[in-house]
Amino acid sequence: MRQKAVRMSRYWLFKSEPDAYSFERLHDERVTPWSGVRNVVAKNNMLEMKLGDLGFFYHSSIAQPAAVGIVRVVRTAYPDFTAFERGGEYYDPRSTPDKPKWMMVDVEYVEPLAHPVTLARMRAEPRLLGMSLLKRGQRLSVQPVTPHEWKIVLELSKQSE
DNA sequence: GCCAACGTTGGC
DNA sequence: GCCAACGTTGGC
């Protein structure tokens, strides 16, 4: 049978250091552009996103890195304006409004996980072997999550540790 | 177009 | 604070 061009909605994982941008801050702001991604693979992942796709919000670079909440894509990929801001932290002279090199999506706050699912908890789950996030040296700030992995992490979030 | 050097990420 | 992993840069 021929594969349809239409694909299932996908799931994602958005990493952020809470000091830089936390899930609590997204709660207050409701929607944020996912700006500042300067990695080609992460950018390509954002180009793949469709309206309504869901993702985990993951806090990194802390004592207990963990998925803490759920977000929804509410605007598909468009040029990352922070790359145009001369003198700004994310300025990249190779990216121009005519030929933008970096893209971003907008994500909306959906809800917190009942319990954060720590990286350690995910590593301890045999069914999550092979999850992109758990691979050695995985640094991608925007990653795909399979429907199967999505379901399992949600399940784990319902257990208290 | 190869690849060594360098910088960054992020868990530990 | 260390350092492994990996992307990027730039010399050739």
Side-chain angles (χ1 to χ4, degrees), chain A residues 82 85-91:
Chain A
T82 64
E85 293 169 351
R86 197 176 290 268
E89 189 182 349
Y90 296 105
Y91 179 58

Side-chain angles (χ1 to χ4, degrees), chain A residues 99-115:
Chain A
K99 284 191 74 178
K101 177 174 166 65
W102 302 116
M103 308 291 279
M104 60 190 180
V105 296
D106 285 356
V107 299
E108 171 187 62
Y109 183 95
V110 176
E111 62 182 6
L113 297 178
H115 304 278

Side-chain angles (χ1 to χ4, degrees), chain A residues 62-76:
Chain A
I62 50 173
Q64 291 287 333
V68 295
I70 295 175
V71 298
R72 179 188 295 120
V73 175
V74 291
R75 181 172 175 187
T76 55

Side-chain angles (χ1 to χ4, degrees), chain A residues 37-94:
Chain A
V37 171
R38 297 293 178 267
N39 174 285
V40 172
V41 178
K43 180 200 74 173
N44 288 341
N45 284 338
M46 289 197 290
L47 289 172
E48 288 284 303
M49 292 180 187
K50 298 271 199 268
L51 274 187
D53 279 3
L54 297 177
F56 290 122
F57 196 112
Y58 175 87
H59 281 163
S60 68
S61 287
I62 50 173
Q64 291 287 333
V68 295
I70 295 175
V71 298
R72 179 188 295 120
V73 175
V74 291
R75 181 172 175 187
T76 55
Y78 62 106
D80 182 341
F81 54 78
T82 64
F84 310 143
E85 293 169 351
R86 197 176 290 268
E89 189 182 349
Y90 296 105
Y91 179 58
D92 184 346
R94 297 167 301 175

